[in-house]
Amino acid sequence: MTSSSHSSTASAAHPLDEAVQLTASSSSAPGQYEGQTHPGYWNMVGPFGGITAATLLQAILQHPDRLGDPLSLTVNYAGALTAGAFTVQATPVRTNRSTQHWTLSILQAGDDGAQVVTTTATAVTAVRRETWSVGDVPMPEVPAPSAQPAIPPGFGVEWLNRYEMRPVTGAIPREWDGSGDHSLTQLWMRDAPPRPLDFVALAALADVFFPRVWLRRARHVPAGTVSITVYFHASAAQLQATGTGYLLGQARGQEFRNGFFDQTVQLWNEAGTMLATSHQIVYYKE
Amino acid sequence: MTSSSHSSTASAAHPLDEAVQLTASSSSAPGQYEGQTHPGYWNMVGPFGGITAATLLQAILQHPDRLGDPLSLTVNYAGALTAGAFTVQATPVRTNRSTQHWTLSILQAGDDGAQVVTTTATAVTAVRRETWSVGDVPMPEVPAPSAQPAIPPGFGVEWLNRYEMRPVTGAIPREWDGSGDHSLTQLWMRDAPPRPLDFVALAALADVFFPRVWLRRARHVPAGTVSITVYFHASAAQLQATGTGYLLGQARGQEFRNGFFDQTVQLWNEAGTMLATSHQIVYYKE
């Protein structure tokens, strides 16, 4: 390999970085950014929800007035984004001594050319100090990532090819025969190709789980996230230390009722550090 | 008791209804409401967070353009409200066929007279249809409410007197001796005086738990909710059927790290129906 081709390979952007790339608008509106949906993270009728959450977090991270690191992020999926350009508006509505409160939205031109809100969000960033700390949900004892086969690529939606997933338990049902009896999934996961972990990648990883109702019922019904919240427990240094290692993700439904179920999620790194907890409320049909 | 005095008693507003009372602004801004903090729900340096969440939900419920019932609510406590008047702005930013997405904020006049954002929120309301449903987290088997003594009134903050709480396990520590070893609380609870359950009351009840860090450490450190999310699983009819009965509330911390911990909450009625699940991220000191 020549030096120049090696350099070219090394500098090629990771698909995740391409997908969350935002450009400050030439207009005078502060916190307004232009982005483009990325075909590599396409789901069935719009982008993978995790990449939308990651993009909103990216807008905060590159905002010149940001204080601290991500603490919480709530994203409401009001309507599917269409393929193409979109605008992110990120506004720090209140800045305290150690916390900062954000409201965000994604806008796209609708059929009539008028701007339509596809996504709303709120977030809190915070300056963390070292305090007494303890984890109260230890990582479950599971086989190492290398012991679990990875889901083969090409499961029908493109974004799944952007993740390496090695299910431990609760993989997607092989037969839709109505035989489901629980909603617990545990899996090792990381970006594909591997990419050093940061807050943006972590936000997306919190949303990789297939709909709990598919597992619980072993039925392939239509489903989609309505709202997701991610709480970030790790520091930038802990994410950096995690590097390109796997995360153990655990997801479970608590209540499935009249068209909506909730999902609770925990994400640990291989060292057993809880990096994030998350929950979402998900629409399902039938 | 004379007929007129009986009628007077029966028509007296419940403190909760007084606290969440909102008046549409005389100005032309749609979805703008005026409210007043209520001394009966005062916490240490501002209103009880649950009553603020309930007030925001009330703004949605009385908005003329509302579609459906509450599905999710996220409230971010950007700064403490001061005693007195406040303004709620509730905007339905996108209305779909069966879901509606809301952004909300609470504003108060600051020291210099300018309006300051104290609270931001997002919510989703939805028209629910009957579908296949199942609860995956059964209510824990615990003694009946009548078997558990209620917390005596006068614990130092006024809002606690607005709730009847009968702890089953994980009551507030009697001694701050650093002996804590878990963060699980289970308690029976309802409004005091009893009040028929509705979405507004349920939103507030999701926030009644004292800070998990107090239990986990048996140390009385400063702590306050930064952001709470409530997912509503029950229909209005199920809340009505719950009436003035008790709810079993369960709260647990998952991770306490560098100044913030998270809390997961489940709320069932006495019949064992899951009415709501909730999560919050909470600041703590030391």
Side-chain angles (χ1 to χ4, degrees):
Chain A
M1 187 183 282
T2 69
S3 164
S4 74
S5 77
H6 177 266
S7 157
S8 158
T9 305
S11 69
H14 190 282
L16 182 69
D17 295 297
E18 291 176 358
V20 302
Q21 198 183 333
L22 294 172
T23 310
S25 296
S26 53
S27 82
S28 60
Q32 188 173 307
Y33 299 95
E34 305 300 326
Q36 290 275 342
T37 61
H38 192 291
Y41 287 87
W42 202 252
N43 198 353
M44 286 185 292
V45 293
F48 161 50
I51 206 71
T52 302
T55 302
L56 287 160
L57 196 61
Q58 176 60 33
I60 292 173
L61 293 176
Q62 72 185 67
H63 196 293
D65 298 339
R66 174 173 58 94
L67 175 77
D69 287 328
L71 175 67
S72 75
L73 172 69
T74 294
V75 179
N76 305 289
Y77 301 94
L81 278 88
T82 54
F86 58 83
T87 302
V88 178
Q89 179 66 49
T91 309
V93 293
R94 178 150 172 166
T95 303
N96 298 319
R97 195 157 46 98
S98 63
T99 59
Q100 188 173 46
H101 286 255
W102 296 81
T103 63
L104 304 100
S105 57
I106 299 181
L107 301 159
Q108 265 193 329
D111 292 340
D112 59 358
Q115 290 288 85
V116 173
V117 174
T118 67
T119 320
T120 67
T122 60
V124 181
T125 52
V127 178
R128 312 283 288 256
R129 301 153 296 100
E130 276 202 22
T131 67
W132 171 90
S133 298
V134 72
D136 249 10
V137 182
M139 183 166 77
E141 289 190 23
V142 299
S146 57
Q148 307 299 120
I151 295 172
F155 231 135
V157 290
E158 183 57 31
W159 73 268
L160 280 170
N161 300 325
R162 301 288 85 72
Y163 291 97
E164 179 185 339
M165 300 194 205
R166 299 175 174 273
V168 173
T169 189
I172 200 165
R174 293 181 180 199
E175 295 186 34
W176 303 109
D177 58 3
S179 67
D181 60 2
H182 72 91
S183 67
L184 172 66
T185 288
Q186 296 171 331
L187 57 81
W188 291 107
M189 59 191 182
R190 59 177 177 175
D191 288 289
R195 174 185 176 280
L197 190 65
D198 57 16
F199 288 108
V200 166
L202 185 57
L205 284 161
D207 191 37
V208 300
F209 302 90
F210 66 87
R212 301 296 86 201
V213 67
W214 294 1
L215 183 60
R216 185 63 180 79
R217 300 182 70 184
R219 281 202 60 190
H220 199 192
V221 298
T225 303
V226 176
S227 181
I228 186 173
T229 293
V230 183
Y231 297 147
F232 299 92
H233 300 293
S235 65
Q238 283 170 317
L239 300 186
Q240 203 168 10
T242 300
T244 59
Y246 293 90
L247 303 193
L248 181 70
Q250 176 169 274
R252 199 187 315 242
Q254 296 189 105
E255 183 76 16
F256 303 75
R257 178 97 56 82
N258 291 342
F260 297 91
F261 69 85
D262 69 344
Q263 173 184 277
T264 64
V265 162
Q266 294 89 25
L267 300 174
W268 298 267
N269 66 13
E270 286 180 78
T273 301
M274 175 83 86
L275 302 181
T277 50
S278 179
H279 20 274
Q280 57 180 269
I281 186 95
V282 183
Y283 160 83
Y284 67 94
K285 206 167 170 178
E286 298 168 32
Chain B
M1 188 181 282
T2 68
S3 164
S4 73
S5 75
H6 177 265
S7 157
S8 158
T9 306
S11 69
H14 191 280
L16 182 69
D17 295 297
E18 291 176 358
V20 303
Q21 197 182 335
L22 294 172
T23 310
S25 296
S26 53
S27 82
S28 61
Q32 189 173 305
Y33 300 95
E34 305 301 327
Q36 290 275 343
T37 61
H38 191 291
Y41 287 87
W42 202 252
N43 199 354
M44 286 183 292
V45 293
F48 161 50
I51 206 69
T52 302
T55 303
L56 288 160
L57 197 61
Q58 176 60 32
I60 292 174
L61 293 175
Q62 72 186 66
H63 195 292
D65 299 339
R66 174 173 57 94
L67 175 77
D69 287 328
L71 174 67
S72 75
L73 172 69
T74 295
V75 178
N76 306 289
Y77 301 94
L81 276 90
T82 54
F86 58 82
T87 302
V88 178
Q89 177 67 48
T91 308
V93 293
R94 178 148 172 169
T95 303
N96 298 318
R97 196 156 46 97
S98 62
T99 58
Q100 188 173 46
H101 285 255
W102 297 81
T103 61
L104 304 100
S105 56
I106 300 181
L107 301 160
Q108 267 193 327
D111 291 339
D112 59 358
Q115 291 288 86
V116 172
V117 174
T118 66
T119 321
T120 68
T122 60
V124 182
T125 53
V127 178
R128 310 285 286 255
R129 303 152 295 100
E130 275 201 24
T131 67
W132 171 89
S133 297
V134 72
D136 249 10
V137 181
M139 182 167 76
E141 289 188 25
V142 298
S146 57
Q148 306 300 121
I151 296 173
F155 232 132
V157 289
E158 184 56 32
W159 74 268
L160 281 169
N161 301 324
R162 301 289 85 71
Y163 290 97
E164 180 186 337
M165 301 194 204
R166 298 175 175 272
V168 174
T169 189
I172 199 164
R174 293 181 181 199
E175 295 185 34
W176 304 109
D177 58 3
S179 67
D181 59 3
H182 72 90
S183 67
L184 173 67
T185 289
Q186 296 172 331
L187 58 81
W188 291 107
M189 58 190 183
R190 59 178 178 176
D191 287 290
R195 175 185 177 281
L197 190 64
D198 57 15
F199 288 109
V200 166
L202 186 56
L205 284 161
D207 191 37
V208 299
F209 303 90
F210 65 87
R212 299 296 87 199
V213 67
W214 295 0
L215 183 59
R216 185 63 180 79
R217 299 182 70 183
R219 280 202 62 189
H220 199 194
V221 298
T225 303
V226 175
S227 181
I228 185 174
T229 292
V230 183
Y231 296 146
F232 299 92
H233 301 293
S235 65
Q238 283 170 316
L239 300 186
Q240 203 167 10
T242 301
T244 59
Y246 293 91
L247 304 193
L248 181 70
Q250 177 169 274
R252 200 188 311 244
Q254 296 188 105
E255 183 77 15
F256 304 75
R257 178 97 57 83
N258 290 343
F260 298 91
F261 68 87
D262 69 344
Q263 172 184 276
T264 66
V265 162
Q266 295 89 23
L267 300 175
W268 298 266
N269 66 14
E270 286 181 78
T273 300
M274 175 83 87
L275 302 180
T277 49
S278 180
H279 331 270
Q280 56 180 268
I281 186 97
V282 183
Y283 160 83
Y284 66 94
K285 206 167 170 177
E286 296 169 34

